[in-house]
Amino acid sequence: MRLTTKGRYAVTAMLDLVLHSQTTPVTLTEIATRQTISLSYLEQLFSRLRKADLVKGVRGPGGGYRLRQTPDLISIASIIEAVNEPIDSTKCGGEENCQHDSVCLTHDLWSGLSEHIQAYLSKITLADLIAQRDERRNNAKCGEAIIHFDKPLKYG
Amino acid sequence: MRLTTKGRYAVTAMLDLVLHSQTTPVTLTEIATRQTISLSYLEQLFSRLRKADLVKGVRGPGGGYRLRQTPDLISIASIIEAVNEPIDSTKCGGEENCQHDSVCLTHDLWSGLSEHIQAYLSKITLADLIAQRDERRNNAKCGEAIIHFDKPLKYG
DNA sequence: ACTTAACCAACTAAAATAGTCAATTATCCT
DNA sequence: AGGATAATTGACTATTTTAGTTGGTTAAGT
């Protein structure tokens, strides 16, 4: 699992979508202006998010995007995976030829790390992020007490 | 902490360096040919690794690079951090202005995730990776039993 | 019909990654 | 001392990824 700005854009956009979901769908134009992401880039991202069945597009006036599932069922991992297509993180591909000493060694390292991050981000959902925000809003002004994810949040 | 191919190259090169460290330093040319990484790219990487005090260059014939510390003191995290310069993973910088709802929300998410990965990779050292390889060499042929880092390895 | 907004494809721009080239400097060896 | 080795440095090019642009088509609402 790669961690780049692309995934961040996607998560930010999805969060914006959730936070502004009312009876009507949310348009990309709204998200674009609120989050200062270009509309066309959002289109690219949402094209992938849609193909991954995370969102559902509604055409025509009054249209926009909706979540396919409730926020507690959409993990951060699934969002990030949806937008950046998978790569083989190793040179030896699936072959795992150990002629060059350290190739498979790093292969294990990266695949293990990837699994670890995957597991971590799979446990955090959009609902968790919203709950965290609400909690902070009640307890403190922004900038005073910043809550960090030292451990995966509990949810359910 | 960003996870890109750049960090992978660096870790691979450092591993190669450790595995071939004898009485004499290891030249970048050797590493380049063994790991099929271009010499000049290695130069760029090792320039940063040297500035981060992870390696020490020895000029002249018979020269090359050595580790500054023993392999059990060099974490994977330190290698990755050395090669890719830090970026602010958030738009709001340090300002944390919460006027736009989800900005600080994702800020917390990314900084938390970064810390998490940081902690994970800080516990894995070059020595761990070598130990893992030796273990595998004794127990199984490559390709049969691949050990994954489901949990950080113990060391010390 | 007309407007809205998703959907789509090709194209451009900027940034990061990867690699090239050429020169300099320190060190060893003869 | 002089030549070979290999780090060190910097500027430059190529490729890939990321981000943004343009100009459409399609579906749905008014």
Side-chain angles (χ1 to χ4, degrees), chain B:
Chain B
M1 169 168 280
R2 295 170 57 209
L3 296 180
T4 66
T5 53
K6 198 171 190 174
R8 281 203 282 269
Y9 274 104
V11 173
T12 301
M14 286 290 278
L15 256 181
D16 186 284
L17 174 57
V18 176
L19 290 171
H20 296 88
S21 282
Q22 308 291 347
T23 51
T24 60
V26 181
T27 68
L28 293 189
T29 307
E30 294 174 50
I31 299 178
T33 55
R34 272 196 297 262
Q35 302 300 331
T36 58
I37 305 172
S38 84
L39 175 61
S40 53
Y41 195 44
L42 278 179
E43 283 174 349
Q44 288 178 39
L45 297 177
F46 273 77
S47 171
R48 289 168 180 269
L49 293 172
R50 190 173 56 82
K51 280 163 188 161
D53 268 340
L54 293 178
V55 297
K56 156 178 55 176
V58 180
R59 291 185 167 191
Y65 282 97
R66 283 184 203 283
L67 294 185
R68 265 240 126 89
Q69 302 133 342
T70 51
D72 61 308
L73 291 178
I74 300 180
S75 71
I76 305 304
S78 66
I79 296 172
I80 294 177
E81 270 180 353
V83 292
N84 27 269
E85 69 271 46
I87 48 157
D88 50 348
S89 61
T90 165
K91 281 184 184 173
C92 55
E95 298 193 7
E96 319 220 5
N97 56 331
C98 288
Q99 290 153 353
H100 301 300
D101 298 324
S102 53
V103 173
C104 272
L105 219 50
T106 52
H107 174 272
D108 284 2
L109 173 68
W110 299 125
S111 60
L113 173 62
S114 187
E115 283 172 22
H116 187 82
I117 297 169
Q118 164 75 33
Y120 178 74
L121 289 181
S122 295
K123 287 175 191 151
I124 303 178
T125 68
L126 288 177
D128 291 327
L129 295 186
I130 295 167
Q132 188 194 34
R133 185 193 64 150
D134 291 343
E135 190 183 332
R136 181 167 57 197
R137 281 201 171 168
N138 293 341
N139 294 344
K141 281 186 182 175
C142 176
E144 291 179 356
I146 304 297
I147 302 160
H148 288 294
F149 284 97
D150 288 325
K151 293 177 183 174
L153 297 175
K154 282 168 191 147
Y155 64 97

Side-chain angles (χ1 to χ4, degrees), chain A residues 2-154:
Chain A
R2 294 170 57 209
L3 294 179
T4 65
T5 54
K6 197 171 190 175
R8 281 203 283 268
Y9 273 103
V11 173
T12 301
M14 286 290 278
L15 255 181
D16 185 283
L17 174 56
V18 175
L19 289 171
H20 296 89
S21 283
Q22 309 289 348
T23 51
T24 60
V26 180
T27 68
L28 293 189
T29 307
E30 293 174 51
I31 300 177
T33 53
R34 272 196 297 260
Q35 303 300 331
T36 57
I37 306 172
S38 84
L39 176 61
S40 53
Y41 195 45
L42 277 179
E43 283 177 349
Q44 289 176 37
L45 296 177
F46 272 77
S47 172
R48 290 168 180 270
L49 292 172
R50 190 173 54 81
K51 280 164 190 161
D53 268 339
L54 292 178
V55 297
K56 158 177 56 176
V58 180
R59 292 184 167 191
Y65 282 95
R66 283 185 203 281
L67 294 186
R68 265 243 125 88
Q69 301 135 342
T70 51
D72 61 308
L73 291 178
I74 299 181
S75 71
I76 305 305
S78 67
I79 296 172
I80 294 177
E81 272 181 352
V83 292
N84 26 269
E85 68 271 44
I87 47 155
D88 51 347
S89 61
T90 165
K91 279 184 184 174
C92 56
E95 298 193 9
E96 318 220 4
N97 56 332
C98 288
Q99 290 153 352
H100 301 299
D101 299 323
S102 54
V103 173
C104 271
L105 219 51
T106 52
H107 174 272
D108 284 1
L109 173 68
W110 298 125
S111 60
L113 173 62
S114 186
E115 284 171 22
H116 188 81
I117 297 169
Q118 163 75 32
Y120 179 74
L121 290 180
S122 294
K123 286 174 192 150
I124 303 177
T125 69
L126 289 177
D128 292 326
L129 295 186
I130 295 167
Q132 188 194 33
R133 185 193 65 151
D134 292 343
E135 188 183 333
R136 181 167 58 196
R137 280 200 170 168
N138 293 339
N139 293 344
K141 280 186 182 175
C142 176
E144 289 180 356
I146 303 298
I147 302 161
H148 289 293
F149 285 97
D150 288 327
K151 294 178 183 174
L153 295 177
K154 282 169 191 147

